[in-house]
Amino acid sequence: MLTKEQIKQYQEDGFVIPDFKMSDNDLLEIEEKHNQLINKFPEYKNYCPAVLLKDESFLKYCLNDEILDFVKQLLGSKFALWNSSFFAKPAHNGFETPWHQDGQYWPINPLVTCTVWLAIDDATEENGCLRFIKGSHKDKKLKDHSRNNKENLTLHQELNKNEYDISKSVNLLLKRGQISLHDVYMVHGSKENNSPNSRRAMTMRFMPLSSKFDHEFIFDSKPSFKIDKIYPVKN
């Protein structure tokens, strides 16, 4: 369970790293499933925006009881898993993720989501760890983004530079199996990975059942990534 201090940190900073480690067996299974996914769909070697649409067996790791208890403390007792994605960021040529807010992409009303970010490898500054702007979620507003068509980006909506203060950025340094939880309005991004070590991560997106998801929405304008199912996990 999250402590009172950890809940306060999530509310104040927009993220928290709980006392948790995914089991080694589960991590090895995730690695194997991801390898199978990439062998079948090599175009997702850097980023798969909706992994459950391609392989629903990843659901097992999203429904970890301890993770669900953390989310319950932050979102309340009634919530659903609506998405899981995979950021692989392979060695030597791992794509950059520009500064953005997750809510810029998601058709959820009211806009409330807690994202669980699971490190499959150690996340370091050298291999492109996630970076957060502390406290950037607190006004609960989507800031101005512009489209960045640069190649080698996982996402293409980028925050305008006047919308954040990079001096408040912090590196999310995680060991393999650790997780972080962050708010839907959190400003974050990550640098490219030119190191010899991969920086794989799996995300799990949870929303309260008081919010609604527009099922006509399509990720990245690709019909293959139309979300047509959510998973009520606490009701």
Side-chain angles (χ1 to χ4, degrees):
M1 300 291 285
L2 297 173
T3 66
K4 290 181 180 179
E5 290 75 18
Q6 288 173 324
I7 294 173
K8 183 177 179 180
Q9 181 189 354
Y10 182 87
Q11 294 168 343
E12 289 296 316
D13 295 342
F15 72 98
V16 69
I17 302 171
D19 302 320
F20 173 86
K21 183 181 183 300
M22 185 68 77
S23 74
D24 290 336
N25 285 341
D26 281 348
L27 291 168
L28 291 172
E29 287 178 6
I30 292 171
E31 288 178 334
E32 180 59 29
K33 289 180 185 298
H34 183 250
N35 288 337
Q36 293 171 0
L37 179 77
I38 298 307
N39 287 337
K40 189 173 182 179
F41 304 105
E43 64 269 30
Y44 303 138
K45 67 177 182 179
N46 259 280
Y47 173 49
C48 182
V51 71
L52 295 176
L53 293 180
K54 300 301 180 183
D55 183 352
E56 203 169 53
S57 70
F58 280 95
L59 185 61
K60 169 185 174 181
Y61 315 105
C62 302
L63 301 183
N64 178 285
D65 285 338
E66 195 171 354
I67 289 177
L68 296 182
D69 284 341
F70 296 147
V71 176
K72 179 179 178 179
Q73 289 180 272
L74 300 174
L75 293 184
S77 61
K78 297 182 179 181
F79 61 92
L81 173 78
W82 66 266
N83 172 256
S84 178
S85 55
F86 212 105
F87 291 85
K89 207 179 280 281
H92 303 297
N93 188 30
F95 287 4
E96 175 186 358
T97 300
W99 291 105
H100 70 284
Q101 293 169 295
D102 290 338
Q104 175 73 7
Y105 292 87
W106 300 342
I108 296 171
N109 185 34
L111 183 56
V112 182
T113 288
C114 175
T115 293
V116 177
W117 199 96
L118 168 64
I120 309 302
D121 302 301
D122 289 352
T124 68
E125 189 172 357
E126 291 72 28
N127 67 7
C129 65
L130 208 59
R131 297 187 294 166
F132 289 139
I133 304 291
K134 290 177 67 172
S136 56
H137 68 299
K138 293 185 76 173
D139 61 4
K140 301 298 180 185
K141 293 181 180 179
L142 291 180
K143 308 177 194 305
D144 289 335
H145 292 67
S146 299
R147 184 163 181 85
N148 186 338
N149 291 317
K150 175 184 171 183
E151 294 184 4
N152 299 339
L153 295 179
T154 57
L155 305 172
H156 291 278
Q157 290 289 325
E158 182 175 22
L159 264 175
N160 295 340
K161 295 188 183 302
N162 65 328
E163 292 284 7
Y164 59 94
D165 182 357
I166 200 168
S167 70
K168 295 183 179 179
S169 67
V170 294
N171 291 325
L172 183 69
L173 304 179
L174 296 178
K175 293 293 186 181
R176 171 178 166 86
Q178 283 189 293
I179 63 171
S180 68
L181 299 93
H182 70 264
D183 184 85
V184 66
Y185 290 100
M186 168 64 67
V187 173
H188 61 291
S190 64
K191 295 181 179 179
E192 69 278 4
N193 180 17
N194 296 316
S195 81
N197 302 308
S198 64
R199 196 234 63 185
R200 292 166 295 183
M202 179 178 169
T203 61
M204 312 161 197
R205 323 280 193 181
F206 298 92
M207 70 179 195
L209 294 180
S210 54
S211 292
K212 303 297 182 183
F213 188 93
D214 179 1
H215 291 279
E216 295 304 310
F217 175 77
I218 298 173
F219 278 93
D220 294 339
S221 300
K222 295 179 181 178
S224 61
F225 281 119
K226 179 179 175 181
I227 299 294
D228 57 4
K229 185 176 182 180
I230 65 171
Y231 305 85
V233 289
K234 292 287 183 181
N235 187 355

